[in-house]
């Protein structure tokens, strides 16, 4: 069994000692029932991880000794920011969990013309739960860093932000027949000189982006990209594009 991994606040690590409390101590003591002598991995979300040997395990308090400190692995070189239109909670949570496993670095919920009021209202209400889902998925999938869940943004503001220097910004559109993801990626890889290390991906709501939104995105230099003739659900499209990009760029 691989060693259990926990993202913890950096201040819980002091020199060679680690003190764990709260929910994590409970999980170690009562759920995983780990005993002194056994090992866990703790990550401080700065890109490092520590292998820790447990010394004292009790319900609310666990003490360990750092055996080894090493760079955290599990992070792709390619940074993907997913601007995902609000969805019903369960579907949005699916994107957060699978996107974390895939290696997405940042999730930005966006509000589009066809976003439903119910979906938008859930964006802030569910924030804490969603951060927990990301943390669990990041620990389970051996991510080296916690993906960031940003606060919800209006579509236009997201367009402005997404075209930062050195970022490849694409808006996924089922109406785009000219540029397929395959061509867009081939083009990126062709100019070796400046391989982007960051991709911004826009995925629309259940009802899709409006023509005005697609037009506005192109005004910002965000390129419409198609994923083929089939209409994918909103929670499918971003994951498909992200995995194709990581496959192409990390391979
Ligand atoms: N307008 C569609 C629903 C949109 S699907 C319909 O008539 O049912 C939700 C989002 O997924 C879209 O806004 C788009 O961002 C993405 N998407 C779905 N299928 C796609 C495809 N074949 N190519 C590119 N993006 C797609």
């Amino acid at each position: 069994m691989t060693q259990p991994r926990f993202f913890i606040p950096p201040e819980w690590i002091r020199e060679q000692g680690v003190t764990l409390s709260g929910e994590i101590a409970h999980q170690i003591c009562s759920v995983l029932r780990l005993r002194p002598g056994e090992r866990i991995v703790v990550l401080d979300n700065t890109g490092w991880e520590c292998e820790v040997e447990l010394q004292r395990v009790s319900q609310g308090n666990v003490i360990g000794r750092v055996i080894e400190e090493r760079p955290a692995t599990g992070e792709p070189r390619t940074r993907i920011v997913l601007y995902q239109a609000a969805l019903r909670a369960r579907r949005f949570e699916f994107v957060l969990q699978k996107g974390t496993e895939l290696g997405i670095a940042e999730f930005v919920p966006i509000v589009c013309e066809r976003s439903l009021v119910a979906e938008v209202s859930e964006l802030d209400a569910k924030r804490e739960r969603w951060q927990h889902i990301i943390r669990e998925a990041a620990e389970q999938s051996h991510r080296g860093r916690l993906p960031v869940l940003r606060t919800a943004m209006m579509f236009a503001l997201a367009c402005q932000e997404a075209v930062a220097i050195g970022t490849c910004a694409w808006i996924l559109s089922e109406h785009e027949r000219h540029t397929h993801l395959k061509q867009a990626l081939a083009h990126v890889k062709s100019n070796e000189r400046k391989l982007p290390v960051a991709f911004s991906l826009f995925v629309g709501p259940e009802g899709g982006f409006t023509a005005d939104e697609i037009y506005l995105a192109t005004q910002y230099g965000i390129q419409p990209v198609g994923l083929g003739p089939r209409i994918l659900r909103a929670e499918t499209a971003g994951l498909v594009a992200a995995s194709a990009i990581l496959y192409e760029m990390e391979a």
Side-chain angles (χ1 to χ4, degrees), residues 84-85 87 91 114 171-177 180 202-210 214 225-238:
Q84 178 84 37
L87 295 170
R91 295 167 64 190
R114 293 183 180 143
I171 182 165
L172 300 181
S173 168
E174 67 281 14
H175 306 299
E176 175 57 35
R177 287 282 177 269
H180 186 278
F202 281 75
V203 177
E206 204 167 337
F209 287 117
T210 62
I214 300 281
V225 169
L227 296 176
R230 287 172 296 289
I231 304 285
L232 308 178
R233 278 197 174 279
E235 64 271 24
T236 313

Side-chain angles (χ1 to χ4, degrees), residues 42-82:
V42 296
L43 301 102
D44 61 4
N45 203 22
T46 63
W48 287 84
E49 65 183 42
C50 296
E51 182 151 340
V52 172
E53 181 180 276
L54 299 179
Q55 292 174 308
R56 256 191 45 211
V57 177
S58 66
Q59 180 58 18
N61 184 278
V62 171
I63 307 246
R65 180 168 63 91
V66 174
I67 305 290
E68 180 196 353
E69 195 162 7
R70 53 191 182 233
T73 54
E75 286 307 296
R77 286 189 314 280
T78 308
R79 178 178 163 74
I80 296 181
V81 179
L82 179 61

